[in-house]
Amino acid sequence: SPSKAPTASPTQSPSKAPTANPSKFPSAYPTASMRPSEFPSISPTSYPSEEPSTAPSLRPTEVPSQRPSTSLSPSVAPTGNPSTRPSISLSPSLAPSSEPTVDPYPENPVPSSPKSGYFNYNPSDDIYGPDNWSSIRASDTDEYKYWSEFAKYIDSSMDVDRNFCGQTVRFKNPKGNPYTQSPINVTPQNKKHCNEYHQIRDRAGDWRLDDVEVEKQFLGSKLRIVYPRRTGLEPDPPNADIPLGWQKQMDVVHIDIKVPSEHQLNGTSYEAEYQIFIMSTAGRGAAAISILIDTHNRPRENAQFKLLLDAFKMLFISDYSDCLAKKRLNIPRGRKLENILFEEEIRNLLSDDEDRQTEDHLPFEDLLDSYLDKKRRRRQEIHPDCLFGNVTDGLDPCTSEGFWDPWHKDDIMRSFWFYAYDGSLTEPPCYPFVGWRIVDTPMLISRKQLNDLRKLIFLHQTGECVPTSNQYGHSVARPLLSNKGVEIHRCTCLDFLSDMERDANPKIDTCPVERFCEYHECAPPV
């Protein structure tokens, strides 16, 4: 009988990309091997002869004879030489396919003339890789230019002209608090107790993602949403009251989204990370609320995250359309456009759009124009009271259900509790002034949404046709750094309940140990 088909070629090797939970991270590449059930099951005794006989033969019987054949025509004697015709194997070949696997997200090469401050995530790059970020001049980096806006709020003991990426001794602020380099594996250690006494009290603010004042940026290592700075009582950026001595209702300055996660939570890496940055105006530095992102197997998409993806798709497609127009000027008639695979990725990004369903017959360029025209919406009018700050009843008339909530309790920030430590920015110049809060429950998105996020980060090109991503191995995450000696604490329901529960029962501030698992997915801490 034919041999059983192996499930994988012996020549295949496992992926080199480390994951903390392999079952949660299916390979992004289609396998080249076929399942055994996809091969025809053909019995060797019924397989047709390779060459028809030219001599008369007796009618074959159902059962082979036990005696020698008495056919009047001599049988064809086997030759000692092998047949020149190819043999037909009944089992799958163990050799890999001759067609190479196409990497959907290939790394962009180092530019021939890199701009000042350029870096990438290639660990083998002796000039621009993570081990050499410390050699980059701080003032050349994009993060230096961005954070210089807040220089007056940064502790004067931290030299903003210094690159801290190679720091081996933890920076200490004037109060003696040590700041480590981020990211790290976040797990409770050093027995530091949670001193926070209430949840992060967040407000959504007044801005929509499609407002022109809200900047959507494709940076080499992330997607970034930059909020307008407050200029009066209204409109409000998103804001939050962070416990443990931070100011009340500090404004969100930006949100970064990275793939995969930079932090680990108790040794587990996640598919992506969503980081909300808030700047203290009292010299404390920045507070960063990190929400790890995982995927679920259900078809339902995360509604709030879809709004975020749609906003970036608009810019992505607009930039690609500009690039496409420029390329067409230089492409001779009759030649195909470059990067057809990329064009197909664009079509896939639009696959869930209702307009695309009815206009799929359009040429690709017309489809882009139609999509952009129908998706451009007028900014929602601001309530008159917002313009003049006539808010007297404690309610904010500028906020409505139509505005995007970056803290959404069901779709984004699914827990009131977190881990915390003092760390740094995760890109050059790696400033050590960030108070990290890592929410203990991940955001859940669909597999399609994760793939769209990867496409947006890894495949974006500017309107001048310049690729923006500096990813390596499908990653724009700084490698993990040591958490040895880092003071990390965890806040749970044993430390405080949500404001809603406390308001419902003012006499109860915390949960009893026996009810711990009703609030958290893990066993109670020892």
Side-chain angles (χ1 to χ4, degrees):
S1 64
S3 61
K4 185 176 179 181
T7 60
S9 168
T11 61
Q12 293 174 327
S13 59
S15 170
K16 294 183 180 180
T19 58
N21 188 350
S23 64
K24 290 177 126 183
F25 303 94
S27 171
Y29 298 93
T31 178
S33 62
M34 299 175 68
R35 299 188 303 273
S37 60
E38 290 176 311
F39 291 94
S41 176
I42 304 176
S43 170
T45 59
S46 61
Y47 202 83
S49 170
E50 294 187 24
E51 297 186 14
S53 172
T54 56
S57 62
L58 296 176
R59 182 176 181 181
T61 61
E62 297 287 334
V63 180
S65 171
Q66 302 292 326
R67 300 167 59 186
S69 171
T70 57
S71 170
L72 297 177
S73 61
S75 62
V76 180
T79 64
N81 299 323
S83 171
T84 58
R85 297 170 62 91
S87 62
I88 301 177
S89 173
L90 302 181
S91 60
S93 170
L94 297 180
S97 170
S98 58
E99 296 184 4
T101 301
V102 176
D103 184 349
Y105 313 117
E107 290 92 21
N108 295 317
V110 175
S112 56
S113 299
K115 68 175 185 177
S116 298
Y118 172 83
F119 67 93
N120 62 33
Y121 292 86
N122 183 351
S124 301
D125 192 324
D126 295 333
I127 301 176
Y128 304 110
D131 290 341
N132 298 281
W133 287 0
S134 58
S135 63
I136 300 172
R137 187 164 54 185
S139 58
D140 287 340
T141 65
D142 291 335
E143 290 301 284
Y144 172 92
K145 297 164 187 173
Y146 176 82
W147 288 101
S148 62
E149 174 188 348
F150 308 101
K152 63 183 178 181
Y153 304 129
I154 297 175
D155 194 301
S156 58
S157 65
M158 192 196 77
D159 182 4
V160 294
D161 291 319
R162 175 184 168 189
N163 184 326
F164 290 83
C165 294
Q167 152 188 345
T168 55
V169 178
R170 294 190 179 97
F171 170 79
K172 290 186 179 181
N173 65 13
K175 294 183 179 180
N177 299 327
Y179 284 74
T180 191
Q181 282 292 297
S182 302
I184 61 173
N185 175 25
V186 180
T187 182
Q189 57 185 11
N190 295 334
K191 303 296 182 183
K192 186 176 181 182
H193 182 67
C194 169
N195 292 318
E196 282 89 334
Y197 53 90
H198 64 75
Q199 69 178 63
I200 297 172
R201 292 169 175 159
D202 54 81
R203 295 177 184 171
D206 305 326
W207 297 102
R208 292 168 59 110
L209 279 174
D210 57 358
D211 285 333
V212 294
E213 295 89 344
V214 178
E215 289 186 62
K216 279 76 65 177
Q217 299 177 348
F218 288 92
L219 304 180
S221 56
K222 61 207 166 196
L223 303 181
R224 173 171 281 180
I225 300 168
V226 181
Y227 282 97
R229 308 304 181 225
R230 184 186 295 275
T231 55
L233 292 177
E234 298 292 349
D236 291 324
N239 53 83
D241 176 359
I242 310 294
L244 195 58
W246 292 82
Q247 296 165 264
K248 291 186 177 180
Q249 302 312 134
M250 298 180 295
D251 290 343
V252 172
V253 293
H254 72 263
I255 298 172
D256 288 342
I257 305 99
K258 301 180 75 80
V259 175
S261 69
E262 296 195 294
H263 288 91
Q264 285 186 350
L265 186 57
N266 292 318
T268 299
S269 296
Y270 288 82
E271 301 280 18
E273 189 166 339
Y274 174 99
Q275 303 166 344
I276 305 174
F277 281 83
I278 299 174
M279 193 66 198
S280 165
T281 58
R284 179 118 184 224
I289 292 82
S290 169
I291 301 170
L292 303 169
I293 300 177
D294 205 353
T295 56
H296 57 68
N297 295 321
R298 300 185 300 276
R300 185 187 75 83
E301 293 192 329
N302 183 312
Q304 291 294 314
F305 201 73
K306 182 179 186 300
L307 294 175
L308 182 151
L309 291 175
D310 286 348
F312 277 97
K313 286 180 186 180
M314 279 288 296
L315 181 57
F316 180 97
I317 294 167
S318 179
D319 287 346
Y320 183 81
S321 182
D322 291 344
C323 169
L324 190 61
K326 288 180 173 61
K327 284 191 173 185
R328 290 177 65 188
L329 297 176
N330 299 314
I331 296 178
R333 185 180 297 275
R335 293 275 304 274
K336 290 185 178 180
L337 292 173
E338 296 177 8
N339 261 339
I340 299 301
L341 173 64
F342 191 54
E343 178 177 316
E344 188 59 31
E345 298 294 338
I346 302 295
R347 287 191 179 273
N348 290 340
L349 279 176
L350 307 184
S351 64
D352 62 344
D353 183 72
E354 294 179 1
D355 296 334
R356 191 243 162 141
Q357 302 301 322
T358 60
E359 300 178 356
D360 199 28
H361 63 282
L362 293 175
F364 183 63
E365 297 86 342
D366 294 341
L367 180 67
L368 286 179
D369 291 339
S370 175
Y371 179 85
L372 291 169
D373 288 341
K374 292 189 177 183
K375 284 295 181 182
R376 290 191 178 101
R377 291 176 291 178
R378 220 162 30 101
R379 176 185 170 190
Q380 182 168 322
E381 291 185 3
I382 296 179
H383 191 285
D385 283 347
C386 297
L387 298 177
F388 303 102
N390 299 326
V391 182
T392 58
D393 61 358
L395 298 177
D396 189 344
C398 300
T399 303
S400 74
E401 294 181 357
F403 288 5
W404 184 63
D405 183 359
W407 309 93
H408 196 279
K409 288 297 178 284
D410 292 328
D411 287 348
I412 296 179
M413 193 169 171
R414 300 171 57 233
S415 174
F416 299 106
W417 300 283
F418 48 81
Y419 297 75
Y421 78 100
D422 290 331
S424 73
L425 300 179
T426 59
E427 297 177 10
C430 308
Y431 288 147
F433 67 171
V434 183
W436 284 97
R437 302 288 189 276
I438 317 296
V439 177
D440 66 4
T441 303
M443 178 196 318
L444 295 177
I445 64 175
S446 70
R447 293 297 305 180
K448 180 185 182 304
Q449 289 179 309
L450 175 62
N451 289 336
D452 283 357
L453 178 61
R454 288 172 173 161
K455 293 171 186 176
L456 289 169
I457 294 177
F458 299 151
L459 298 180
H460 176 256
Q461 295 184 33
T462 68
E464 300 297 326
C465 306
V466 178
T468 54
S469 179
N470 58 359
Q471 62 101 359
Y472 179 82
H474 306 170
S475 172
V476 286
R478 186 184 188 185
L480 279 177
L481 297 166
S482 173
N483 64 2
K484 185 177 180 180
V486 180
E487 293 185 342
I488 306 170
H489 66 269
R490 182 186 183 189
C491 295
T492 71
C493 68
L494 299 176
D495 301 293
F496 57 82
L497 291 175
S498 70
D499 287 347
M500 184 179 295
E501 285 197 77
R502 295 165 93 172
D503 291 342
N505 194 340
K507 295 183 179 180
I508 300 178
D509 291 330
T510 62
C511 71
V513 174
E514 58 269 20
R515 294 190 60 195
F516 183 90
C517 292
E518 296 179 23
Y519 295 89
H520 304 278
E521 297 180 358
C522 52
V526 178

